[in-house]
C-alpha cells in the first residue's frame, strides 16, 4: 500500500474504537474507613485505531495506558463506555471471546514471561495456529518476523533466544490468529537499546504488509515520534492531547506533553521551548483514588488558572500544522481564555 492510499484509508477504516471507556478498580474496604472507594484508572477515553496506522499512547507509569490496552483486549471488563469492533459494541465472553481474539491480539512487555520456558518455539507457534484454525505454518510465521532460516529457531527454547528474538516469537504467535489489530504494550521497553529499533521497524513493516491497526503503548515519547502516525497523551487516566505524530511531538500543546518531552533524555531536543517547562507539583502524579477536581494536571501545571481547579477542560482544537486534527484538553486553548489573555496584553 502506498503512502497516499494508506492516508486515504486512515480517514475511513476504523478497526477498533473506544467510546467513553472508563475503568474504576474497587479498593478493598478494610484499607479505608467509610464508604466505597475506587481507583479511577481510566476515565472517558475515546480513541480509534485505523487499518494500516500506528497510534501511540504515551504517558508516565500509572497513567492508565496499559489498562486501556487490557480493556481493548477485553482482558478486563470496563466500568462504563464501549469497545467497538468495526462499529459494533464488543461483549467478548465465552466463545465470542475466542472469536474476538482472532481479530484483536496483544503483545506484552516482557517476552520472557509471555513464553512458557519449558516449551520450544515450534510448540508455541503450532499451538497458536491450531487454536485459531490458521492454515499458516510455524515456518511462515517466523519468516514474517524475520527469524530466518526458520528451522534454526523452531527447536529452540525461550532461554536460548535473545530478548529481541523472544519478542519476535511473541509477535509471530500473535500473528498466528491473523489479527486486524495489534495492541503492543511497551513492546521494546525491556529490550536492549540496540535492538529496540529492529523490533519497532518490524512492527512498522507488519503495519504496511498486513495492513494492521497497531496501538503502541509507551512511556518514551521519542520512540512515538519515530514510529507513530498518531499520538495520544495520557495523564492520570485521561487522554489530554491527540493528533498527528509530528504535530504532537514537534508542536506539543498541552503543558503535560511539553513536560514529558522536556523530561525525555533526548540529545536531539525536539524543541528549545520544551526544556523551559517547569513542574510546579514536584513531579508527583496525583492519587487516582481521589483525583484532583477540574483539570487533573492543575496541581502540577505552571499555567493553572482559577477555572482549572473547578472545570474539567474538553478537547479543544489547537492550530494544525498540516498533520491532521490536533487537540488538547486544556483551557489555554479556549476562546474565552485567549480573549482574556489578549485583553491583558493590550494597553
Ligand atoms: Fe494547565 Fe489549566 Fe491547561 Fe490544565 S487546563 S493543563 S491546569 S492550563
Amino acid at each position: 500500500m502506498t503512502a497516499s492510499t494508506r492516508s486515504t484509508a486512515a480517514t475511513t477504516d476504523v478497526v477498533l474504537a473506544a467510546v467513553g471507556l472508563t475503568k474504576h478498580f474497587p479498593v478493598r474496604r478494610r484499607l479505608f474507613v467509610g464508604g466505597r472507594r475506587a481507583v479511577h484508572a481510566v476515565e472517558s477515553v475515546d480513541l480509534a485505531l485505523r487499518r494500516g496506522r500506528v497510534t501511540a499512547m504515551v504517558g508516565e507509569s500509572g497513567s492508565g495506558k496499559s489498562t486501556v490496552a487490557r480493556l481493548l483486549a477485553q482482558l478486563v471488563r470496563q466500568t462504563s463506555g464501549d469497545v467497538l469492533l468495526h462499529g459494533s459494541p464488543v461483549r467478548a465472553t465465552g466463545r465470542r471471546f475466542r472469536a474476538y481474539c482472532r481479530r484483536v491480539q496483544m503483545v506484552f512487555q516482557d517476552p520472557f514471561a509471555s513464553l512458557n520456558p519449558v516449551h520450544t518455539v515450534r510448540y508455541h507457534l503450532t499451538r497458536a495456529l491450531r487454536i485459531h484454525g490458521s492454515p499458516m505454518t510455524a515456518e511462515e510465521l517466523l519468516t514474517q518476523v524475520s527469524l530466518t532460516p526458520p528451522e534454526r529457531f523452531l527447536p529452540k527454547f525461550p532461554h536460548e533466544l535473545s530478548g529481541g528474538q523472544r519478542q519476535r516469537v511473541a509477535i509471530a504467535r500473535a500473528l498466528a490468529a491473523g489479527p486486524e489489530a495489534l495492541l503492543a504494550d511497551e513492546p521494546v521497553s525491556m529490550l536492549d537499546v540496540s535492538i529496540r529499533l529492529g523490533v519497532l521497524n518490524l512492527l512498522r513493516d507488519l503495519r504496511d504488509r498486513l495492513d494492521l491497526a497497531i496501538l503502541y503503548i509507551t512511556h518514551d515519547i521519542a520512540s512515538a515520534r519515530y514510529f507513530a502516525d498518531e499520538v495520544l497523551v495520557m495523564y492520570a487516566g485521561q487522554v489530554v492531547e491527540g493528533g498527528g505524530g509530528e504535530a504532537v511531538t514537534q508542536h506539543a500543546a498541552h503543558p503535560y506533553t511539553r513536560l514529558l518531552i522536556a523530561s525525555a533524555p533526548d540529545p536531539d531536543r525536539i524543541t528549545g521551548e520544551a526544556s523551559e517547562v517547569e513542574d510546579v507539583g514536584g513531579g508527583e502524579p496525583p492519587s487516582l483514588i481521589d483525583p484532583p477536581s477540574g483539570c487533573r494536571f492543575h496541581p502540577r501545571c505552571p499555567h493553572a488558572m482559577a477555572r482549572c481547579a473547578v472545570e474539567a477542560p474538553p478537547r479543544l482544537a489547537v492550530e494544525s500544522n498540516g498533520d491532521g486534527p490536533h487537540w488538547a484538553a486544556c483551557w489555554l486553548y479556549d476562546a474565552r481564555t485567549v480573549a482574556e489573555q489578549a485583553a491583558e496584553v493590550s494597553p
Side-chain angles (χ1 to χ4, degrees):
M1 181 180 274
T2 65
S4 63
T5 52
R6 192 151 56 76
S7 157
T8 307
T11 58
T12 56
D13 224 351
V14 176
V15 175
L16 194 63
V19 179
L21 200 58
T22 298
K23 180 65 185 177
H24 296 169
F25 292 103
V27 177
R28 277 189 295 173
R29 186 179 284 264
R30 68 186 163 89
L31 294 179
F32 289 96
V33 179
R36 290 169 66 87
R37 310 289 298 269
V39 176
H40 298 236
V42 172
E43 205 81 69
S44 300
V45 166
D46 295 340
L47 60 82
L49 305 183
R50 294 177 170 84
R51 195 181 295 285
R53 301 270 288 181
V54 174
T55 302
M57 181 165 270
V58 185
E60 60 198 351
S61 296
S63 60
K65 53 195 192 307
S66 291
T67 305
V68 170
R70 282 166 169 72
L71 288 165
L72 290 172
Q74 294 285 284
L75 298 178
V76 291
R77 192 53 41 89
Q78 64 264 34
T79 305
S80 61
D82 277 311
V83 175
L84 307 174
L85 182 65
H86 292 295
S88 301
V90 175
R91 296 283 177 265
T93 52
R95 281 187 180 196
R96 280 187 292 182
F97 179 68
R98 183 164 288 188
Y100 183 71
C101 287
R102 276 191 206 109
R103 308 179 71 178
V104 178
Q105 280 282 306
M106 214 166 153
V107 175
F108 294 94
Q109 180 178 20
D110 183 355
F112 201 69
S114 68
L115 298 173
N116 190 329
V118 303
H119 290 302
T120 62
V121 171
R122 183 192 302 279
Y123 175 88
H124 283 98
L125 298 184
T126 51
R127 182 169 182 271
L129 289 166
R130 195 172 58 247
I131 287 172
H132 296 295
S134 170
M136 290 180 74
T137 64
E139 286 82 356
E140 287 171 323
L141 285 176
L142 286 180
T143 304
Q144 279 200 335
V145 296
S146 303
L147 288 178
T148 53
E151 308 76 47
R152 198 178 122 214
F153 295 96
L154 284 170
K156 289 189 185 288
F157 289 88
H159 72 271
E160 297 178 289
L161 302 171
S162 69
Q165 289 169 341
R166 280 197 290 268
Q167 194 59 294
R168 283 171 191 263
V169 171
I171 293 169
R173 185 177 57 180
L175 296 179
E180 296 176 74
L182 206 57
L183 310 173
D185 186 7
E186 304 260 17
V188 295
S189 64
M190 295 192 72
L191 306 180
D192 289 343
V193 175
S194 57
I195 50 180
R196 287 181 188 176
L197 193 59
V199 173
L200 289 182
N201 282 339
L202 168 67
L203 288 171
R204 192 153 67 173
D205 180 49
L206 292 173
R207 172 199 71 184
D208 294 340
R209 272 195 291 126
L210 305 179
D211 215 12
L212 286 172
I214 296 179
L215 178 66
Y216 171 55
I217 305 271
T218 183
H219 60 268
D220 176 13
I221 198 163
S223 70
R225 173 193 178 196
Y226 165 77
F227 178 48
D229 301 295
E230 187 183 346
V231 173
L232 300 171
V233 180
M234 263 198 105
Y235 179 74
Q238 298 176 323
V239 181
V240 296
E241 181 165 0
E246 282 288 303
V248 173
T249 56
Q250 299 277 30
H251 308 282
H254 196 282
Y256 172 65
T257 311
R258 291 192 208 145
L259 183 66
L260 206 59
I261 291 170
S263 315
D266 182 2
D268 179 20
R269 178 62 65 208
I270 296 169
T271 66
E273 97 191 76
S275 61
E276 295 162 14
V277 176
E278 60 172 321
D279 184 346
V280 298
E284 284 297 317
S287 161
L288 293 184
I289 294 176
D290 191 13
S293 58
C295 170
R296 289 186 177 183
F297 190 57
H298 84 261
R300 294 173 68 181
C301 182
H303 306 286
M305 302 162 273
R307 72 189 299 197
C308 299
V310 183
E311 300 173 70
R315 292 183 175 195
L316 296 165
V318 299
E319 200 178 327
S320 173
N321 289 282
D323 192 17
H326 183 188
W327 59 267
C330 174
W331 287 123
L332 290 175
Y333 302 93
D334 178 49
R336 193 179 100 197
T337 309
V338 172
E340 285 170 359
Q341 288 179 340
E344 279 173 25
V345 171
S346 55

